[in-house]
Amino acid sequence: MISALDVPLDLSQPPTITQQSPKDYIVDPRENIVIQCEAKGKPPPSFSWTRNGTHFDIDKDAQVTMKPNSGTLVINIMNGGKAEAYEGVYQCTARNERGAAISNNIVIRPSRSPLWTKEKLEPHQVREGDSLVLHCRPPVGLPPPIIFWMDNAFQRLHQSERVSQGLNGDLYFSNVQPEDTREDYICYARFNHTQTIQQKQPISVKVFSMDSLNDTIAANLSDTDIYAKPVTEKQPTLLTPTGSTSTKVELRGNVLLLECIAAGLPTPGIHWIKEGGELPANRTFFENFKKTLKIIDVSEADSGNYKCIARNILGSVHHVISVTVKAAPYWITAPRNLVLSPGEDGTLICRANGNPKPNISWLANGVPIAIAPEDPSRKVDGDTIIFSHVQERSSAVYQCNASNEYGYLLANAFVNVLAEPPRILTPANKLYQVIADSPALLDCAYFGSPKPEIEWFKGVKGSILRGNEYVFHDNGTLEIPVAQKDSTGTYTCVARNELGKIQNEVQLEVKDPTMIIKQPEYKVIQRYGQVSFECIIKHDSTLLPTVIWLKDNDELPDDERFLVGKDNLTIMNVTDKDDGTYTCIVNTTLDSVSASAVLTVVARPNPPFDLELTGQLERSVELSWIPGDENNSPITNFVIEYEDGLHEPGVWHYQTEVPGTQTTVQLKLSPYVNYSFRVIAVNEIGRSQPSEPSEQYLTKSANPDENPSNVQGIGSEPDNLVITWEPLKGFQSNGPGLQYKVSWRQKDVDDEWTSVIVANVSKYIVSGTPTFVPYEIKVQALNDLGYAPEPSEVIGHSGEDLPMVAPGNVQVHVINSTLAKVHWDPVPLKTVRGHLQGYKVYYWKVQSLSRRSRRHVEKKILTFRGNKTFGMLPGLEPYSSYKLNVRVVNGKGEGPASPDKVFKTPEGVPSSPSFLKITNPTLDSLTLEWGSPTHPNGVLTSYVLKFQPINNTHELGPLVEIRIPANESSLILKNLNYSTRYKFYFNAQTSVGSGSQITEEAVTIMDEAMASRQVDIATQGWFIGLMCAVALLILILLIVCFIRRNKGGKYPVKEKEDAHADPEIQPMKEDDGTFGEYSDAEDHKPLKKGSRTPSDRTVKKEDSDDSLVDYGEGVNGQFNEDGSFIGQYSGKKEKEPAEGNESSEAPSPVNAMNSFV
């Protein structure tokens, strides 16, 4: 037995309905009616129709045709037919030699969109606060129309908790307000099927406000009692549904809509509960401002009592709706096609449920089974037909009908008796590709009767697949729940029954998964910036990935600012619209991966708006505002600024600031200011633009609250007192006529206050005062309304004059050769005649005691603040004569100088000699010349010369010291070693000690006889010939070594050169033959490289520049076995080249000669 298995179309089979029109089919009366009925079978089925239960002969109706090879009817309405003439119940039958299948009963009804009946609508006159219902009552259409309310301008009427449309289309006002007055409340009905809209006559509503009701209107109203009372608050009452309870029946699977609309003032709020249970989660929604409860996909469990509660501050009202959920029939087990082989058994099962429980009836080939031809192989048992030992004549189509009062279900299922060997319907060698660690489903669609058995093998000769790692489906599919790379290969499916056997091979390839190894990350970017998201992927090499970027699950905007790269997305010049979620999707033919990141675009906040001033008082006002968009960066604070349009128009001043969560502030005000305010929002990005200014608010005048600040009294001349102050700002005047009362009197003298009143100034000069005496001063503000509070007093002084006397008893104590301390007695304060600022010490060098020559006198000044009576004089020159004097200083200037005081500084150590020059080198002597110190700082007693030799390894020899009389300026050193470098240290001395030293280096020349011998040998012909032969031999050996090295042989010269390499030793300069220069630092180590020697310390010019003898003890040279010359010096030598095949200096004949000495 085969159940629910498609029979190949090349085999005989009863008809199967494959397509049909819906049961309730509403058609457009202006278009042709198409009633679908398609079926398959072998042989192809023929079609017939019934209409209203009787045969429908389509050949007799010229307006009706049937499509070729189809059962679909086309009723021609557009060429004269009328849709109303074809209303009815239609049923299609598809028949062949193996049975007949039937369609559902298809009810054909043309849609209707009737016009609104004409009616005269009276205007609605209603009192403010009362409830109102505007009825729509649309015409009955098919299907029912969609209702909405608009005005004459085709704008939808605004709806709210107070005003809303009910499910029946009426417009409900919980309470009316004066703004509800209008003459164009229009109800529209839209009939979607015919795409038409019908309009009701406009309804006029007039709302009367008790505040504006006049006697004329009241006289024309028939019921003036309703206007006798002012608008009062009202408890809730229900406008719909009426009463306290109601019932509702809904069908299973439909949407349940329950509605409660209440009247009341204030507008009541609606709350829903289910008695004895909870509202179903995930299926419950509230619409129409919570006035409608919506439950989708209802079931019998949703039956019960639902209570709506309307509540305002005065009370509440409720209504209980008893909901019963009924059910049209629905399948539990629908009958399924049977394919049986002769002699097999089988069953057809038809089980359905509903409320009430449906009735089950069977038909055979469209005929009730009770009157159908008998078949000994079948037996009907309620909702089951049992088949035993079927034969080919048992093939038929059976219909199961399950029906109750709410609908019916009709299902066709055939019994097809066949004897067929197995066949595999899946193509041979079909290739399946899956991603590793995902399921692999290998198809083996088959057919056969009796039903074949299916087995799977891996490989052509593999063993049968069994075990938990495989799942074998009834339709023949092999499932590998978690495919791995080693699952790749050939799989063989074998189908067999008693009539035969067949097999098929399929291929499986398991690929590496696609992964995003670098995902886009959350970004915060300022407006007009640039941002990039990365999306770097890894994928199977045989798969070609495609990368798609989405914004908010939609395509990227068509904008050149969006640049999509190989592995990134870049957005240039970011704007607010770019804010959102960006997703990178990587697709291959087998898998898809994605990663998302959020882009938050931040910017300065938008300016606040709707500034409002409330609670205006004389000294305060409340300012409120509405914040602008914070642009994704929370507002941290608001800055409030004000403008004084009376005194400083156009100038904005800081007033205060409040946290970003606050939108109102109580502001303190000053009198007589015409205030305007503006608000600036601040976030982490910056400050917003200022808001529009608020309305102006002019405060009343008052006495000044404060007096001028920074009051001072300072005389500009010895006989006056200048009184100054910081004038009040315009808003501080508190009223018109701002003036200042200036008062003064001499301190500690029993005098009366002297006062003047001035305006528009901030200074007053009192003349004829004594010199520098204290005064008590005060400045008081006043305006046309009176005086400010009594001001505080300040102390000032009349003008200063120059001090009268000089400091006395000036003493100098010399501390050392560069520092002295000066003392003096303070002058009497009365003689200062002003504020004592300090003392100035003038001092200057008269002459140096070591040199009698005079020079330009440069006076130096040191100022000592306050009442100090001593000071230090630093930076003096040793062994010099100085003069100084002291003066007292006040605000007017300096007083007379004290008598000059002479002092001398003691000796110090001298500076270094001005130069040291070494000339006339010979074999054993050098001549030294020097200059005296620039600053002897005393009487020179002697010079000290120290020197020591330096050998070829830069080691220093024994130090020799010579003391030279101070009057000498040159010295010839004798008995020195020839060709030897010496380092000299030279300094001067006074009685105090030694000064800093100067260093130099020089070299004695070599033996002239040896030099002459070297030159003579170098000019001999035999020597030149020998050197040429040696050079030729070296060249031949180098060529041989080069060939050996290219063949992989080791270069022995290189090894030896490497062994003798000395990176610390640098060559002597080639251009001038000079020796390397040594540092004059006192570490007694000569420099090793990068130095040079002055030209006056060179050896004889006629000596060879390339001589190695100058470095010390000559050369020990040899040729090794391959002819390379290896110079091994006892002293300094050149650094060998890295590869051993270059020379930084060609050997001279003299050097070569010395190699053999």
Side-chain angles (χ1 to χ4, degrees):
M1 177 184 70
I2 300 176
S3 176
L5 188 66
D6 284 340
V7 180
L9 285 176
D10 62 333
L11 298 178
S12 296
Q13 58 182 293
T16 300
I17 300 291
T18 58
Q19 190 174 4
Q20 58 183 316
S21 294
K23 293 178 182 179
D24 191 7
Y25 188 15
I26 300 175
V27 298
D28 190 331
R30 300 166 299 182
E31 296 180 354
N32 293 339
I33 302 173
V34 179
I35 311 175
Q36 291 183 326
C37 179
E38 303 290 342
K40 67 177 182 177
K42 182 70 174 185
S46 60
F47 297 89
S48 62
W49 285 87
T50 62
R51 176 182 173 188
N52 297 328
T54 61
H55 176 67
F56 182 33
D57 191 350
I58 61 175
D59 295 331
K60 293 183 179 180
D61 192 332
Q63 302 295 332
V64 181
T65 59
M66 184 183 294
K67 289 184 177 181
N69 303 318
S70 167
T72 298
L73 295 182
V74 178
I75 303 174
N76 196 331
I77 301 299
M78 302 178 69
N79 288 332
K82 292 187 177 180
E84 291 80 2
Y86 292 94
E87 285 191 64
V89 180
Y90 292 79
Q91 188 171 42
C92 171
T93 300
R95 187 184 309 274
N96 68 9
E97 62 188 29
R98 293 224 160 200
I102 62 175
S103 70
N104 292 321
N105 286 328
I106 302 171
V107 179
I108 301 296
R109 294 186 295 170
S111 63
R112 298 180 178 87
S113 53
L115 297 176
W116 237 295
T117 56
K118 291 187 178 181
E119 54 183 329
K120 184 178 180 180
L121 301 176
E122 296 293 335
H124 291 264
Q125 297 179 342
V126 60
R127 185 177 66 173
E128 179 183 357
D130 286 353
S131 61
L132 174 65
V133 180
L134 300 182
H135 298 289
C136 181
R137 299 191 181 99
V140 177
L142 184 67
I146 297 173
I147 306 301
F148 52 94
W149 289 80
M150 295 200 298
D151 58 17
N152 274 332
F154 297 101
Q155 299 297 315
R156 285 185 179 268
L157 296 176
H158 175 69
Q159 298 191 22
S160 62
E161 288 187 346
R162 186 178 64 84
V163 182
S164 61
Q165 177 182 317
L167 293 177
N168 62 355
D170 292 346
L171 191 63
Y172 292 85
F173 295 77
S174 296
N175 53 80
V176 294
Q177 301 296 325
E179 60 264 27
D180 296 328
T181 297
R182 63 189 306 153
E183 297 180 350
D184 57 348
Y185 287 94
I186 306 174
C187 181
Y188 288 85
R190 183 173 66 222
F191 298 90
N192 283 345
H193 218 81
T194 57
Q195 298 180 347
T196 58
I197 296 178
Q198 304 292 349
Q199 167 184 336
K200 188 182 179 75
Q201 289 292 328
I203 302 174
S204 175
V205 173
K206 175 66 176 178
V207 179
F208 293 102
S209 171
M210 298 309 298
D211 295 335
S212 61
L213 189 63
N214 56 47
D215 295 336
T216 302
I217 297 176
N220 293 331
L221 292 176
S222 58
D223 186 3
T224 59
D225 292 339
I226 63 171
Y227 297 98
K229 300 177 182 178
V231 176
T232 59
E233 295 179 335
K234 297 180 176 63
Q235 287 186 346
T237 58
L238 286 175
L239 296 175
T240 184
T242 58
S244 59
T245 62
S246 60
T247 60
K248 173 81 171 181
V249 176
E250 192 56 78
L251 293 182
R252 179 181 183 271
N254 287 356
V255 175
L256 174 65
L257 294 174
L258 304 179
E259 180 181 57
C260 273
I261 301 178
L265 185 67
T267 303
I270 304 296
H271 178 64
W272 291 89
I273 61 172
K274 182 181 182 182
E275 294 182 344
E278 298 289 335
L279 295 174
N282 303 324
R283 294 189 295 115
T284 301
F285 302 91
F286 297 99
E287 297 180 345
N288 197 21
F289 310 98
K290 291 193 174 181
K291 300 175 187 179
T292 302
L293 172 65
K294 177 180 178 181
I295 301 176
I296 63 174
D297 193 22
V298 294
S299 64
E300 288 86 344
D302 294 321
S303 297
N305 293 331
Y306 292 81
K307 178 187 287 187
C308 70
I309 303 168
R311 176 180 286 111
N312 67 10
I313 58 176
L314 298 182
S316 64
V317 65
H318 68 268
H319 184 92
V320 177
I321 305 173
S322 180
V323 174
T324 302
V325 178
K326 298 290 186 176
Y330 56 91
W331 291 118
I332 296 176
T333 304
R336 299 162 66 179
N337 294 335
L338 285 178
V339 178
L340 303 175
S341 63
E344 275 194 310
D345 301 337
T347 57
L348 285 179
I349 300 174
C350 177
R351 289 179 184 159
N353 200 359
N355 186 9
K357 190 171 181 63
N359 178 51
I360 303 294
S361 61
W362 288 96
L363 297 89
N365 295 325
V367 178
I369 202 165
I371 61 175
E374 290 190 7
D375 183 351
S377 65
R378 77 171 177 240
K379 177 183 177 183
V380 179
D381 185 9
D383 58 7
T384 304
I385 300 179
I386 302 170
F387 296 93
S388 304
H389 304 289
V390 295
Q391 299 302 318
E392 186 174 352
R393 65 178 180 273
S394 300
S395 297
V397 182
Y398 292 87
Q399 290 82 32
C400 172
N401 186 304
S403 60
N404 65 11
E405 59 186 283
Y406 297 107
Y408 73 93
L409 293 173
L410 177 67
N412 289 277
F414 64 66
V415 175
N416 196 13
V417 181
L418 293 172
E420 286 291 326
R423 62 170 69 181
I424 294 178
L425 308 178
T426 300
N429 291 314
K430 184 175 181 180
L431 176 62
Y432 293 88
Q433 294 179 325
V434 298
I435 295 297
D437 297 325
S438 62
L441 297 173
L442 309 182
D443 292 333
C444 184
Y446 65 92
F447 184 80
S449 183
K451 181 180 180 180
E453 294 181 358
I454 303 297
E455 293 178 328
W456 280 93
F457 301 84
K458 184 174 182 184
V460 179
K461 298 181 180 180
S463 58
I464 189 170
L465 299 180
R466 305 183 189 280
N468 296 331
E469 57 183 311
Y470 302 102
V471 177
F472 303 94
H473 293 273
D474 290 340
N475 63 355
T477 297
L478 169 66
E479 178 181 354
I480 306 174
V482 183
Q484 301 296 332
K485 294 288 283 186
D486 58 4
S487 302
T488 297
T490 301
Y491 290 80
T492 303
C493 164
V494 178
R496 60 166 59 90
N497 66 10
E498 60 190 38
L499 300 178
K501 168 186 172 183
I502 192 171
Q503 69 180 37
N504 187 40
E505 292 180 358
V506 295
Q507 307 296 324
L508 174 63
E509 291 181 358
V510 181
K511 308 288 188 178
D512 290 326
T514 305
M515 295 183 293
I516 300 178
I517 58 177
K518 177 70 173 178
Q519 298 188 354
E521 298 177 346
Y522 172 73
K523 296 290 180 70
V524 177
I525 188 71
Q526 290 192 30
R527 190 186 294 163
Y528 310 124
Q530 175 179 325
V531 67
S532 290
F533 292 106
E534 287 188 295
C535 185
I536 301 177
I537 64 174
K538 178 182 178 184
H539 60 92
D540 191 285
S541 59
T542 63
L543 299 177
L544 182 62
T546 59
V547 179
I548 300 173
W549 286 91
L550 302 179
K551 178 183 184 295
D552 296 330
N553 294 322
D554 203 351
E555 293 183 357
L556 290 178
D558 185 12
D559 192 329
E560 61 184 10
R561 296 182 302 107
F562 288 76
L563 306 177
V564 179
K566 177 183 177 183
D567 51 15
N568 61 64
L569 168 66
T570 301
I571 308 173
M572 312 288 290
N573 197 23
V574 172
T575 67
D576 292 339
K577 294 181 180 179
D578 301 330
D579 196 276
T581 300
Y582 289 83
T583 304
C584 165
I585 301 177
V586 184
N587 293 318
T588 68
T589 54
L590 299 181
D591 64 347
S592 177
V593 292
S594 65
S596 298
V598 174
L599 173 63
T600 300
V601 181
V602 296
R604 296 184 300 170
N606 292 351
F609 57 94
D610 281 359
L611 273 64
E612 184 179 7
L613 296 178
T614 56
Q616 289 91 339
L617 300 174
E618 290 185 4
R619 294 296 183 101
S620 68
V621 70
E622 183 174 87
L623 173 66
S624 61
W625 61 89
I626 297 176
D629 192 337
E630 62 184 18
N631 291 325
N632 294 321
S633 181
I635 295 174
T636 56
N637 57 291
F638 293 100
V639 177
I640 293 88
E641 296 179 341
Y642 72 90
E643 176 197 30
D644 181 1
L646 193 61
H647 303 97
E648 293 181 291
V651 179
W652 290 89
H653 301 276
Y654 173 86
Q655 171 90 5
T656 187
E657 60 184 84
V658 296
T661 56
Q662 188 173 327
T663 56
T664 60
V665 63
Q666 194 78 19
L667 300 174
K668 293 182 179 180
L669 307 180
S670 297
Y672 194 55
V673 176
N674 194 12
Y675 281 101
S676 289
F677 298 97
R678 70 183 186 184
V679 183
I680 299 171
V682 182
N683 63 11
E684 288 186 358
I685 311 305
R687 295 162 62 101
S688 73
Q689 292 294 321
S691 68
E692 292 295 324
S694 70
E695 60 181 300
Q696 291 187 330
Y697 177 47
L698 177 62
T699 54
K700 295 180 179 179
S701 301
N703 292 8
D705 292 325
E706 50 190 310
N707 288 299
S709 59
N710 196 25
V711 176
Q712 294 182 339
I714 302 174
S716 61
E717 299 294 337
D719 61 349
N720 74 7
L721 171 66
V722 180
I723 301 173
T724 61
W725 60 90
E726 186 75 29
L728 297 182
K729 297 184 183 301
F731 73 92
Q732 294 175 308
S733 65
N734 287 7
L738 176 65
Q739 295 178 301
Y740 301 100
K741 179 182 179 183
V742 184
S743 303
W744 68 93
R745 68 180 179 185
Q746 189 171 338
K747 190 175 183 297
D748 301 327
V749 176
D750 192 13
D751 281 350
E752 296 293 327
W753 287 95
T754 302
S755 301
V756 296
I757 294 178
V758 296
N760 301 321
V761 296
S762 59
K763 178 173 71 173
Y764 183 78
I765 300 176
V766 180
S767 302
T769 63
T771 301
F772 195 66
V773 295
Y775 278 86
E776 294 175 322
I777 303 169
K778 58 184 179 179
V779 180
Q780 187 177 22
L782 67 151
N783 62 18
D784 290 351
L785 279 76
Y787 285 88
E790 184 67 23
S792 58
E793 301 170 4
V794 299
I795 303 299
H797 286 81
S798 57
E800 300 181 67
D801 205 347
L802 293 176
M804 300 173 60
V805 299
N809 193 24
V810 177
Q811 301 292 328
V812 179
H813 172 59
V814 178
I815 297 175
N816 56 39
S817 61
T818 60
L819 181 65
K821 184 176 183 180
V822 59
H823 293 262
W824 62 86
D825 290 341
V827 300
L829 289 179
K830 289 185 178 181
T831 67
V832 176
R833 297 200 296 179
H835 295 286
L836 176 63
Q837 294 186 355
Y839 292 88
K840 285 187 178 180
V841 177
Y842 287 74
Y843 66 100
W844 62 97
K845 180 180 175 181
V846 178
Q847 68 177 17
S848 172
L849 298 179
S850 59
R851 296 176 181 173
R852 298 303 176 184
S853 61
R854 293 181 175 271
R855 63 178 182 177
H856 174 70
V857 176
E858 179 184 354
K859 290 188 177 182
K860 298 181 180 179
I861 305 173
L862 287 177
T863 301
F864 301 94
R865 298 291 179 186
N867 201 23
K868 291 190 69 173
T869 59
F870 67 91
M872 306 299 290
L873 305 181
L876 303 176
E877 294 185 15
Y879 204 50
S880 299
S881 175
Y882 281 87
K883 286 185 179 181
L884 66 77
N885 59 52
V886 185
R887 311 176 193 198
V888 66
V889 182
N890 67 9
K892 189 72 173 177
E894 300 176 2
S898 66
D900 291 347
K901 187 73 174 180
V902 178
F903 68 97
K904 299 178 180 179
T905 56
E907 287 187 88
V909 296
S911 63
S912 63
S914 57
F915 68 89
L916 175 62
K917 186 176 182 181
I918 304 174
T919 61
N920 302 324
T922 67
L923 286 175
D924 62 350
S925 69
L926 293 169
T927 300
L928 280 67
E929 298 177 358
W930 61 85
S932 60
T934 306
H935 300 287
N937 294 338
V939 179
L940 295 181
T941 59
S942 63
Y943 292 101
V944 176
L945 173 66
K946 298 178 183 179
F947 65 94
Q948 57 191 148
I950 305 171
N951 64 15
N952 291 336
T953 60
H954 310 297
E955 295 177 349
L956 299 175
L959 188 66
V960 179
E961 180 176 327
I962 299 174
R963 192 171 296 273
I964 304 169
N967 58 353
E968 296 289 341
S969 62
S970 65
L971 175 68
I972 299 176
L973 281 178
K974 299 182 178 180
N975 300 323
L976 302 177
N977 295 329
Y978 73 89
S979 190
T980 302
R981 181 177 292 277
Y982 288 90
K983 185 169 185 178
F984 298 91
Y985 313 89
F986 193 68
N987 65 289
Q989 287 187 335
T990 65
S991 60
V992 177
S994 298
S996 56
Q997 65 183 12
I998 185 173
T999 64
E1000 285 292 349
E1001 292 185 14
V1003 181
T1004 57
I1005 66 174
M1006 70 174 67
D1007 187 342
E1008 293 184 2
M1010 180 180 296
S1012 175
R1013 177 186 172 191
Q1014 291 176 353
V1015 172
D1016 291 342
I1017 295 174
T1019 59
Q1020 297 300 311
W1022 65 267
F1023 183 78
I1024 294 173
L1026 177 62
M1027 290 298 102
C1028 291
V1030 171
L1032 180 60
L1033 178 60
I1034 291 174
L1035 178 61
I1036 295 171
L1037 290 176
L1038 287 174
I1039 294 172
V1040 172
C1041 291
F1042 179 76
I1043 295 172
R1044 289 181 59 193
R1045 185 176 184 183
N1046 285 344
K1047 292 180 180 181
K1050 193 170 183 181
Y1051 185 24
V1053 177
K1054 176 69 168 58
E1055 295 179 3
K1056 192 163 185 179
E1057 288 175 339
D1058 289 343
H1060 289 81
D1062 186 357
E1064 294 296 323
I1065 299 175
Q1066 298 296 319
M1068 184 173 62
K1069 289 188 64 176
E1070 298 180 2
D1071 55 353
D1072 58 3
T1074 57
F1075 294 94
E1077 184 181 19
Y1078 289 81
S1079 168
D1080 61 356
E1082 298 185 9
D1083 57 359
H1084 306 297
K1085 293 183 180 179
L1087 292 173
K1088 295 183 179 180
K1089 63 179 181 178
S1091 61
R1092 59 186 176 88
T1093 303
S1095 60
D1096 57 358
R1097 282 177 276 145
T1098 60
V1099 297
K1100 287 184 177 181
K1101 292 184 179 180
E1102 61 268 26
D1103 292 340
S1104 171
D1105 290 349
D1106 297 326
S1107 176
L1108 299 176
V1109 178
D1110 295 340
Y1111 280 91
E1113 300 178 4
V1115 177
N1116 294 322
Q1118 65 179 18
F1119 289 91
N1120 64 6
E1121 59 186 3
D1122 63 0
S1124 297
F1125 176 72
I1126 308 299
Q1128 297 173 328
Y1129 307 141
S1130 61
K1132 185 173 181 180
K1133 67 177 181 179
E1134 288 184 313
K1135 184 176 180 181
E1136 295 294 332
E1139 295 298 329
N1141 57 359
E1142 296 180 0
S1143 175
S1144 63
E1145 182 177 312
S1148 70
V1150 176
N1151 292 339
M1153 181 202 71
N1154 285 333
S1155 301
F1156 294 98
V1157 174

